[in-house]
Amino acid sequence: MSLAERLAVVDREALGRELHDRVAEIYPICRSITGDGVRGTLARLAKDVPLSVHEVPTGAQVLDWTVPREWNIRDAYVRVPGGPRVIDFGQSNLHVVGYSVPVRARMSLDELRPHLFTIPDRPDWIPYRTSYYQESWGFCLSQRQLEDLEAREYEVCIDSSLEPGHLTYGEYCIPGATEDEVLVSTHICHPSLANDNAAGLSVAVQLAKYLADLSLRYTYRFLFIPGTIGAITWLALNETRVPRIKHGLVLACAGDAGRMTYKKSRVGTAEIDRTVSQILRESGQDHEILPFSPYGYDERQFCSPGFNLPVGCLMRTPWGRYPEYHTSADGMDLVRPEALVDSLLTTMRVCDALEGNATYVNLSPKGEPQLGRRGLYRSVGGFSDAGAIEMALLWVLNLSDGSHSLLDIAEGSGCSFPTIRHAAELLEEHALLRKVIR
Ligand code: ZN
């Protein structure tokens, strides 16, 4: 079965449930850039795809960075001595600032106050905060919780460890006919935030599941890596493999109700940039294309000038542009099954176009070949819109001079990529077209 055929038989409702259920399973796990949360998440993803888990020791030099100590957390709270907990990690893992050093102390509210973080404008939401590279500790809580704290002594406990250990990441490679690679990367370092990025993980795994069953032109490499340090670590350890990456996508925020957004690679005109733009245009749905900027997700690392890989970032609503971003309100309610399906289908259409893009030469270039005689004109079955396929045949014949790819033709003609590709296949069957082998 080809990807296009797989796309045609997708049961969107069942798929939405599967994607959403996976988000729900990943969501509660307390992840960080290192530690057992990442391992637990990879173990869950490994139920769907046979990914390999890599452990890189603390202290390893990776490009300009050093793999940090491993952070794990068992419990954390602030409580009235001998009384109830007023802030409880057991209720939300967002309550603890990520990478907080261990603390066991009694202190006044005044002493505790500099370690408490809220969002005054959103009094019911808990913010998400980390302190990876500066030793500190803290609690995040809702503004209402803060206002309810009495001025008295509290017992403060963060039962965490920050010790030499490992940075953990997952990798899954699906071999294709060539060693040229398509990279799909998602970050796996956020605790209980559903859209950013349990949704991206769920979509990436589903894409991998589908691709694994197909015979493919490209080799597909999926990375499930902690943000920034994970991408830097992978790049440092795989520098020799990097030139094989021909196209790449960072997937994030794949489940909110917003429109699709694509942030172009640093190259800006790479085949992946043009392919995603074409697929989004063809979708007929509202979408946004953003230029590259050196901020965002791990495209920052893949597109650093020393690598300059053709890797863009596919999202729905971008980071920081939805109020729930990096707060407890980025919960399961924010992630919609139909949005997850739409994100997945977009990635599948992009892969289908990458797989099918090629350059051809017209073998009967003097005058138009007589299509009617070959049953190609006014008699093409299978496509409901015969006019569209006829236009596509004419475009493919006219522009297949060995220098225009099918993507070029789709862009120039206004025909959809699948229609252009179908036209090329028909013409090839009728010996009117030959693929240029590069
Ligand atoms: Zn984030």
Side-chain angles (χ1 to χ4, degrees):
M1 188 183 267
S2 73
L3 203 48
E5 286 163 341
R6 189 75 196 74
L7 271 163
V9 296
V10 161
D11 174 346
R12 296 179 75 118
E13 223 172 270
L15 182 55
R17 272 196 304 276
E18 187 177 354
L19 288 161
H20 198 262
D21 287 351
R22 191 180 297 113
V23 176
E25 282 186 62
I26 298 168
Y27 171 72
I29 302 173
C30 185
R31 279 165 294 271
S32 186
I33 53 171
T34 62
D36 290 334
V38 175
R39 293 188 188 98
T41 306
L42 290 173
R44 169 61 193 86
L45 301 182
K47 288 184 190 172
D48 287 301
V49 291
L51 54 83
S52 46
V53 175
H54 298 261
E55 299 274 1
V56 184
T58 297
Q61 285 300 308
V62 286
L63 306 180
D64 194 45
W65 297 56
T66 307
V67 171
R69 286 175 293 171
E70 180 177 325
W71 186 69
N72 283 292
I73 182 156
R74 287 156 291 277
D75 194 11
Y77 56 84
V78 173
R79 75 174 177 188
V80 173
R85 294 182 173 198
V86 291
I87 305 172
D88 184 2
F89 173 76
Q91 303 229 310
S92 167
N93 56 39
L94 297 179
H95 276 315
V96 174
V97 171
Y99 258 67
S100 282
V101 295
V103 179
R104 274 181 200 282
R106 284 190 178 213
M107 60 185 75
S108 67
L109 182 58
D110 281 349
E111 289 169 297
L112 179 58
R113 189 64 190 82
H115 298 278
L116 301 181
F117 303 97
T118 66
I119 315 169
D121 295 350
R122 302 281 182 176
D124 293 314
W125 297 359
I126 307 165
Y128 161 56
R129 287 248 191 160
T130 62
S131 183
Y132 297 138
Y133 301 105
Q134 197 173 21
E135 253 186 48
S136 71
W137 62 271
F139 287 89
C140 300
L141 66 165
S142 72
Q143 180 68 20
R144 281 196 216 289
Q145 261 178 305
L146 176 67
E147 286 165 8
D148 285 347
L149 291 183
E150 294 169 25
R152 57 167 303 154
E153 189 183 54
Y154 288 100
E155 189 184 326
V156 177
C157 167
I158 297 181
D159 181 11
S160 65
S161 57
L162 186 57
E163 292 163 353
H166 294 84
L167 176 147
T168 311
Y169 70 86
E171 185 168 18
Y172 177 48
C173 181
I174 306 168
T178 68
E179 286 197 337
D180 289 348
E181 292 192 2
V182 179
L183 181 75
V184 179
S185 178
T186 56
H187 62 281
I188 193 169
C189 52
H190 288 23
S192 289
L193 300 174
N195 195 38
D196 177 22
N197 189 36
L201 291 167
S202 181
V203 168
V205 164
Q206 195 75 35
L207 177 64
K209 257 177 93 168
Y210 282 155
L211 291 173
D213 293 338
L214 305 174
S215 95
L216 298 160
R217 167 185 174 189
Y218 287 109
T219 293
Y220 286 78
R221 186 171 303 277
F222 287 81
L223 299 181
F224 307 98
I225 50 176
T228 308
I229 187 68
I232 283 169
T233 299
W234 187 86
L235 285 165
L237 299 178
N238 293 276
E239 244 186 291
T240 54
R241 208 191 293 275
V242 163
R244 294 185 197 165
I245 297 171
K246 303 303 176 202
H247 320 284
L249 285 178
V250 169
L251 284 183
C253 300
D256 65 277
R259 61 185 179 182
M260 292 294 315
T261 305
Y262 176 69
K263 177 185 156 185
K264 289 182 183 180
S265 75
R266 182 175 179 274
V267 181
T269 53
E271 187 174 338
I272 186 70
D273 300 322
R274 295 172 48 211
T275 302
V276 179
S277 302
Q278 175 70 21
I279 294 303
L280 290 176
R281 200 159 45 236
E282 285 171 14
S283 74
Q285 296 180 44
D286 188 23
H287 62 272
E288 187 175 15
I289 309 282
L290 299 173
F292 177 76
S293 62
Y295 189 71
Y297 294 108
D298 282 330
E299 69 280 5
R300 292 161 65 164
Q301 313 311 329
F302 300 121
C303 296
S304 56
F307 293 108
N308 200 23
L309 292 173
V311 175
C313 180
L314 190 66
M315 312 159 265
R316 301 193 74 83
T317 307
W319 65 90
R321 288 231 212 130
Y322 52 102
E324 300 88 349
Y325 173 76
H326 280 191
T327 76
S328 55
D330 182 353
M332 289 306 300
D333 293 347
L334 195 69
V335 169
R336 313 279 180 86
E338 62 277 12
L340 292 164
V341 170
D342 184 55
S343 300
L344 173 68
L345 294 184
T346 303
T347 63
M348 288 170 72
R349 289 186 187 109
V350 168
C351 293
D352 189 48
L354 292 172
E355 288 283 311
N357 191 27
T359 302
Y360 293 82
V361 279
N362 179 344
L363 299 175
S364 178
K366 293 183 174 168
E368 286 179 1
Q370 197 184 357
L371 297 179
R373 172 159 61 83
R374 295 174 170 88
L376 288 173
Y377 213 69
R378 305 282 167 208
S379 61
V380 178
F383 267 66
S384 54
D385 185 358
I389 187 72
E390 285 168 7
M391 283 308 293
L393 289 167
L394 298 177
W395 275 107
V396 171
L397 281 169
N398 188 278
L399 289 181
S400 289
D401 51 7
S403 64
H404 293 90
S405 69
L406 296 186
L407 178 60
D408 292 326
I409 302 172
E411 285 177 330
S413 66
C415 302
S416 76
F417 184 87
T419 310
I420 290 292
R421 184 182 178 186
H422 181 61
E425 285 165 357
L426 285 174
L427 292 167
E428 203 176 16
E429 280 167 27
H430 286 84
L432 288 170
L433 218 56
R434 179 170 48 80
K435 199 181 274 186
V436 178
I437 309 293
R438 293 191 196 278

